[in-house]
Amino acid sequence: MNILDAAYQAVTSAVFSAGFPAFWLYTRWSGRYRRGFEERLGFIPSAVLSRLTIRPRLWIHAVSLGEIRVASAVTRALKERLGRCSILVSTATDHGFDLAVRTFGEDTPVIYAPVDAGFSVHSALRRIRPDAMVFLETELWPAWISRAHAMGIPTALVNGRISLRSFRGYRRLRPFFRHVLAGIDAFSMVGEADAERIRAMGADPSRVVVSGNAKYDLLASQVDPVAKDEMTRVLNLTGREPVLVAGSTRGGEEGYVLDAYERIREVFPETILVIAPRHTERAHGIAAICEARGLGCQLRSDFGPDGVKRTAPVVILNTFGELFRLYSVADIVFCGASLVPLGGQNPLEPAVWGKPVFYGPSMEDFPDAKALLEAHGAGGTVTGSDMLAERVIHLLRTPSELEERGRRARDAVLGASHAASRHARVVADLLDTAHETCRLNHEVG
């Protein structure tokens, strides 16, 4: 075991052991982390293990909600390629767990992931005994990867993404992460920039391939025509008013958006603005800003079964999980976290609905998506409120261009699909290599 790896595992195990009594009391007092508590310690229920009856047995780890959706595409592709197999999915949060259960249904068991400490991951791996361990996107768990490697379990990083911001942090600890990456047998990355960064972090170049973004595969299947009718009713739209959606705004971007909106209303006074902050707890603060500007606004949660209708020109989305469906009624979309240096948000979610997309200069977390849209003439960078207002007004004045850019946006996403099958092939090849190695070792023995 490498000295850095040993130090990491010793520190994490010691910290967790020392803090365990307080953590246990906290879970009982607050209710947080109570669900799946034993699984987080590596004790996997026998009811879960009894469902993993078919080999090969694959364990896919997906933390975020977006990764769970990617996991569903990769899982589907794996089953198509491998035929019969057992797949287990792990996640870390209650929201993630609930989404995974809804997404995978009865066919695929879902568990809470063990904490990244030696005793918990060893216990979980020993009980599950996967034939391959698959981490999604940027999930680099040192103790987990090290224990899997030591136990002879092949590992892969699939749909791998290394943002520029993350890369800068990883690079400061390059000797440590070079050893961590040595325990991963295959890297199936989203784009060439991601591949270059993982190689610069110390990954063996011969193990790195570029397979595309499996999120593209999901988006087209998630477009539900019923959503547009539902959102039209929820927002009390007539179909005549332009709708501008500012999605996943962060860091005070609402001020820029509202400045642009006030200019747009001078030309198109019927325009509706929907602001969807990345963190819904900011909704009331944004409402206060609107009111200070003399702009009437309502919260999405106001529109309930009691018949309250939207009458204000500004709506603030403060409900969970509706943004993607909301894009269906937009005419034009601004993707947030991009006018401030936070890396941007996924512009392909509105694009697949056939919507022109604008974003600020900070799109470091989605360079492939940005490049894809701009190559098709469907996306564009704005540097501030004036440029955003000018671009929106221009498109609203030229409906034919608005429609054409929307069509290009959707075509761009649809044309970039099938990445999940390429990622699945990497995992399948890894299984074949492990099986052949095992056979040769058996023959030699």
Side-chain angles (χ1 to χ4, degrees), residues 6-327:
Y8 175 86
Q9 295 203 40
V11 169
T12 54
S13 296
V15 168
F16 189 81
S17 298
F20 178 78
F23 178 67
W24 183 85
L25 289 172
Y26 174 73
T27 63
R28 295 305 181 265
W29 172 72
S30 68
R32 294 190 65 192
Y33 305 111
R34 182 179 294 183
R35 291 172 59 186
F37 186 79
E38 292 80 8
E39 294 171 15
R40 297 180 196 274
L41 299 181
F43 301 111
I44 310 303
S46 58
V48 170
L49 300 176
S50 66
R51 297 168 62 187
L52 304 174
T53 57
I54 304 170
R55 294 284 183 178
R57 182 180 296 176
L58 305 174
W59 183 349
I60 299 178
H61 181 52
V63 170
S64 71
L65 301 184
E67 288 173 6
I68 290 166
R69 295 186 178 100
V70 169
S72 71
V74 173
T75 296
R76 192 160 50 244
L78 281 168
K79 290 182 176 179
E80 290 174 358
R81 178 168 288 274
L82 298 175
R84 289 169 58 81
C85 62
S86 296
I87 297 178
L88 170 81
V89 173
S90 61
T91 188
T93 67
D94 290 343
H95 282 313
F97 185 90
D98 292 340
L99 176 62
V101 169
R102 292 196 303 271
T103 300
F104 293 101
E106 293 297 322
D107 292 339
T108 303
V110 178
I111 63 169
Y112 285 89
V115 296
D116 196 46
F119 69 90
S120 55
V121 294
H122 180 81
S123 174
L125 288 167
R126 183 171 55 82
R127 285 170 167 79
I128 294 169
R129 295 180 294 111
D131 294 294
M133 183 73 235
V134 179
F135 298 93
L136 287 178
E137 302 211 348
T138 56
E139 298 305 320
L140 299 176
W141 296 81
W144 199 339
I145 293 167
S146 176
R147 287 302 172 102
H149 181 69
M151 296 169 69
I153 299 169
T155 58
L157 181 68
V158 163
N159 212 58
R161 296 175 59 244
I162 305 293
S163 70
L164 181 60
R165 187 168 62 253
S166 298
F167 175 65
R168 289 168 180 155
Y170 287 135
R171 190 167 51 184
R172 296 189 188 99
L173 299 171
R174 188 176 186 273
F176 174 67
F177 279 103
R178 182 172 59 236
H179 175 72
V180 172
L181 297 179
I184 300 179
D185 299 286
F187 301 85
S188 190
M189 308 303 288
V190 164
E192 186 54 45
D194 304 291
E196 289 177 3
R197 289 168 189 157
I198 204 77
R199 286 191 289 261
M201 288 166 57
D204 183 343
S206 68
R207 301 179 182 182
V208 180
V209 297
V210 175
S211 300
N213 197 332
K215 286 184 178 178
Y216 299 168
D217 296 35
L218 292 170
L219 290 173
S221 65
Q222 291 174 344
V223 171
D224 180 2
V226 174
K228 184 172 184 179
D229 294 335
E230 179 187 344
M231 290 294 107
T232 297
R233 176 186 55 77
V234 166
L235 296 179
N236 191 30
L237 301 174
T238 66
R240 296 188 297 273
E241 59 278 87
V243 178
L244 171 64
V245 173
S248 297
T249 57
R250 294 179 65 187
E253 286 180 310
E254 295 81 18
Y256 295 107
V257 172
L258 289 170
D259 286 344
Y261 177 59
E262 288 177 333
R263 283 195 55 192
I264 294 165
R265 287 190 78 197
E266 293 173 3
V267 183
F268 294 94
E270 299 301 315
T271 303
I272 304 299
L273 170 65
V274 183
I275 299 176
R278 175 68 172 171
H279 302 110
T280 56
E281 62 269 19
R282 298 180 55 240
H284 288 283
I286 298 168
I289 295 172
C290 292
E291 291 167 3
R293 289 172 175 252
L295 290 169
C297 69
Q298 291 170 280
L299 300 179
R300 161 65 180 97
S301 58
D302 292 340
F303 314 141
D306 56 359
V308 174
K309 293 185 177 181
R310 181 207 58 82
T311 56
V314 179
V315 175
I316 302 168
L317 188 70
N318 65 333
T319 51
F320 184 78
E322 283 194 309
L323 178 57
F324 181 75
R325 295 168 67 82
L326 180 65
Y327 286 140

Side-chain angles (χ1 to χ4, degrees), residues 335-356:
C335 278
S338 59
L339 281 173
V340 290
L342 292 173
Q345 292 294 327
N346 188 356
L348 301 184
E349 292 187 354
V352 76
W353 287 101
K355 313 298 178 181

